[in-house]
Amino acid sequence: MDKIIRDYYKAHISVPIRFAVVTAICIGAFFLTGIFSRDNTFAAGIIVSAFLVGVFIWAAVDVFFIAPHKFRRDMEKMPESDREIIVSGYDKAAKIGARRFYKDGFLLFYSYRRIVVLRYDEIVSAEPKSSRGENIFLKLSDGRTVLMPVLPNENGAVLLAALLEQAPEIKIYINGRLMNDEQPDADGKDNNAE
């Protein structure tokens, strides 16, 4: 489990660093422009600086403490056999970007600075959203929808193909239209034919 969390840290270390850099630049600019030295802007400078520091602290706590704690808690709720598959199979799982496609029925990825582990049989459908295909929305059997982000250097179609390879029963929707339904309709034509 520690290797999974270490990889998560590597993938997300840039988040608190970016917040720290932006906070430092803004507060440095406040000092250079004299915001803290004038009576009429001092309070505003303090309020904005406190907000920026608060956002940086929140991002650091979220990445380094909340996400790993939630992942550990979720893993403890799983049956021991599932937990063993996820931990022992982590290095053997097919890796595409920051996603791991397990042959033993699991998908592990990061979403909104969280480590998400799903069973393939929990996923009912997948649909890329946005004109640039930046996100894949996974509809789960319990009615929840989980976002699987697609980074700018990744191809959403490749991720959908990898998902289908592991779980062919998942329905794929493109622009609201079912794409992998190969059932012929009443007149014998393929449903996907235009």
Side-chain angles (χ1 to χ4, degrees), residues 40-51:
N40 61 341
T41 58
F42 180 77
I46 293 294
I47 291 169
V48 172
S49 297
F51 173 76

Side-chain angles (χ1 to χ4, degrees), residues 32-95:
L32 288 175
T33 58
I35 286 178
F36 295 119
S37 62
R38 289 185 231 127
D39 289 339
N40 61 341
T41 58
F42 180 77
I46 293 294
I47 291 169
V48 172
S49 297
F51 173 76
L52 291 171
V53 169
V55 169
F56 160 67
I57 291 170
W58 168 78
V61 167
D62 193 35
V63 168
F64 292 114
F65 299 104
I66 295 173
H69 175 73
K70 184 176 182 329
F71 174 67
R72 282 190 175 101
R73 191 179 69 223
D74 291 346
M75 291 291 283
E76 287 170 5
K77 292 178 187 175
M78 287 183 169
E80 180 66 34
S81 59
D82 289 351
R83 204 170 31 239
E84 180 60 29
I85 289 170
I86 293 166
V87 173
S88 65
Y90 182 72
D91 288 326
K92 292 177 265 177
K95 182 180 177 192

